[in-house]
Amino acid sequence: MIKFLLIVNRQGQLRLRKYFEEKVVTHGEQREIIRQCLSAVDKQNFLVEFKDFTVVYKKYGNLYFIAGITSNENELAVLELMHHMVETLDKYFDRVSEIDILYSLDRVHMVIDEMVVNGYILETSQPRILVPLQLLDVARK
């Protein structure tokens, strides 16, 4: 199960926070998780053990995607989910950037909500994930 998802920039500034369980980390613990992920010496490593869960992270451009997962969740599946999330956002925003995430936070949350429900991966089909966003865009015009 995925407990939380964070998106931060290279300076460690939080750009998105999504909890799938009651707040599992305090603000201080969240800063510590971000610090550990940003300061990883081994660039091949994508895991950090923290408290009673595992933190999976991946850098895409200037952004770090960080997920806290339970011990029974597959780390590689979560990495694949992050990659798929970035590809979906790239397709929607035509090369997603930190600015897109900042100014279209509702759209990013919609993509995450379509992909992950209650901490479990539900949908991976990019066209199905983008349909609600495209319908919303059409309705706004």
Side-chain angles (χ1 to χ4, degrees):
M1 176 180 172
I2 301 171
K3 294 182 171 220
F4 62 86
L5 178 69
L6 307 172
I7 300 177
V8 298
N9 65 10
R10 278 190 292 183
Q11 291 78 32
Q13 297 169 320
L14 189 64
R15 296 304 180 210
L16 178 134
R17 169 183 31 219
K18 179 84 174 171
Y19 288 103
F20 299 104
E21 211 177 67
E22 284 294 318
K23 205 167 181 181
V24 293
V25 292
T26 65
H27 185 66
E29 291 171 336
Q30 178 182 292
R31 281 196 320 253
E32 177 62 22
I33 290 169
I34 292 169
R35 187 192 63 71
Q36 285 183 11
C37 293
L38 294 179
S39 66
V41 176
D42 182 12
K43 299 300 179 188
Q44 300 298 320
N45 194 3
F46 59 89
L47 297 173
V48 174
E49 294 297 324
F50 193 84
K51 288 174 58 171
D52 61 338
F53 56 89
T54 303
V55 176
V56 179
Y57 64 94
K58 181 76 172 144
K59 181 181 179 198
Y60 290 98
N62 291 332
L63 298 171
Y64 284 82
F65 285 70
I66 303 169
I69 61 172
T70 57
S71 60
N72 61 347
E73 184 67 55
N74 185 337
E75 295 92 356
L76 294 176
V78 175
L79 279 174
E80 187 175 335
L81 172 72
M82 289 178 187
H83 182 73
H84 192 61
M85 194 177 298
V86 170
E87 284 182 340
T88 304
L89 291 171
D90 269 346
K91 182 165 181 148
Y92 180 72
F93 288 112
D94 194 32
R95 299 249 327 132
V96 68
S97 67
E98 183 177 353
I99 301 293
D100 294 323
I101 290 174
L102 280 174
Y103 291 112
S104 301
L105 204 53
D106 59 331
R107 303 287 199 239
V108 179
H109 273 284
M110 285 180 71
V111 167
I112 294 169
D113 289 342
E114 289 293 320
M115 296 178 89
V116 181
V117 175
N118 292 332
Y120 295 98
I121 301 169
L122 180 70
E123 184 64 66
T124 57
S125 170
Q126 197 174 73
R128 286 186 180 180
I129 293 166
L130 291 174
V131 165
L133 293 169
Q134 293 164 341
L135 290 173
L136 191 59
D137 290 343
V138 169
R140 284 191 172 178
K141 291 181 181 178

